[in-house]
């Protein structure tokens, strides 16, 4: 009356362990490296604005501190990525005061995300770096909120 099923069940095919799976630690490493790479990009952009722009807000950026932070972030990414340093693009030219504030806000958010992942991973070095970068970008945001 009914034709027998000739193909394998979808459920038995899904149970096959042919696909390699990553551990939770590996996933957290990848996620933390991604967050830090994004933070590195924004930090490089802020550093470029600090060295090129002639606005008052650009002069308030500490170019040396941003360069040092970018180098330390790159070292953390390399540590998490098996010794592969991240590619660093040339930052764009120019910046308005609104763009500088937006980049600082973005850097603060990315540092917070990196801190959350580093805490989940229990990575003291990455936690310290992320907390430091968050603090560095918190003071200008506080000043903006009280203005």
């Amino acid at each position: 009356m009914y034709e027998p099923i000739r193909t394998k069940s979808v459920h038995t095919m899904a149970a096959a362990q042919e696909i390699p799976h990553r551990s939770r630690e590996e996933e957290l490493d990848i996620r933390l490296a991604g967050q830090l790479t994004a933070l590195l990009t924004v930090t490089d952009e802020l550093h470029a604005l600090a060295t090129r722009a002639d606005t008052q807000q650009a002069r308030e950026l500490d170019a040396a501190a941003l360069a040092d932070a970018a180098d330390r972030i790159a070292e953390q990414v390399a540590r998490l990525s098996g010794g592969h340093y991240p590619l660093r693009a040339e930052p764009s030219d120019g910046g308005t005061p609104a763009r500088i504030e937006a980049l600082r806000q973005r850097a603060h958010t990315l540092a917070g995300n990196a801190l959350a992942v580093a805490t989940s991973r229990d990575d003291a070095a990455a936690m310290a770096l992320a907390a430091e970068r968050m603090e560095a970008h918190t003071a200008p945001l506080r000043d903006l909120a009280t203005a």
Side-chain angles (χ1 to χ4, degrees):
M1 178 176 273
Y2 292 105
E3 179 121 5
I5 298 173
R6 294 187 180 139
T7 60
K8 290 186 177 184
S9 168
V10 175
H11 301 290
T12 57
M13 292 174 68
Q17 295 296 322
E18 297 171 7
I19 301 171
H21 296 283
R22 291 188 285 257
S23 68
R24 180 176 187 273
E25 290 78 21
E26 290 170 327
E27 290 291 341
L28 288 173
D29 284 351
I30 292 167
R31 188 167 171 209
L32 181 56
Q35 293 291 338
L36 289 174
T37 301
L39 179 59
L40 175 62
T41 302
V42 174
T43 303
D44 282 342
E45 191 79 21
L46 283 168
H47 178 259
L49 290 172
T51 57
R52 293 182 195 159
D54 292 331
T55 65
Q56 176 63 27
Q57 285 183 325
R59 281 186 225 112
E60 291 174 2
L61 295 171
D62 186 357
L66 287 167
D68 178 56
D71 291 340
R72 288 185 293 129
I73 293 169
E75 288 172 11
Q76 287 296 317
V77 172
R79 179 180 62 86
L80 293 165
S81 303
H84 300 289
Y85 278 81
L87 297 175
R88 294 169 79 172
E90 183 67 27
S92 59
D93 290 333
T96 63
R99 183 158 181 263
I100 292 172
E101 289 306 319
L103 285 171
R104 285 186 146 177
Q105 175 66 41
R106 182 74 178 139
H108 182 265
T109 302
L110 289 167
N113 292 345
L115 180 61
V117 177
T119 302
S120 295
R121 201 177 163 275
D122 199 26
D123 186 338
M127 280 192 293
L129 179 60
E132 174 195 315
R133 296 317 308 150
M134 238 181 119
E135 183 62 32
H137 296 292
T138 298
L141 294 176
R142 255 185 278 159
D143 295 343
L144 183 64
T146 58

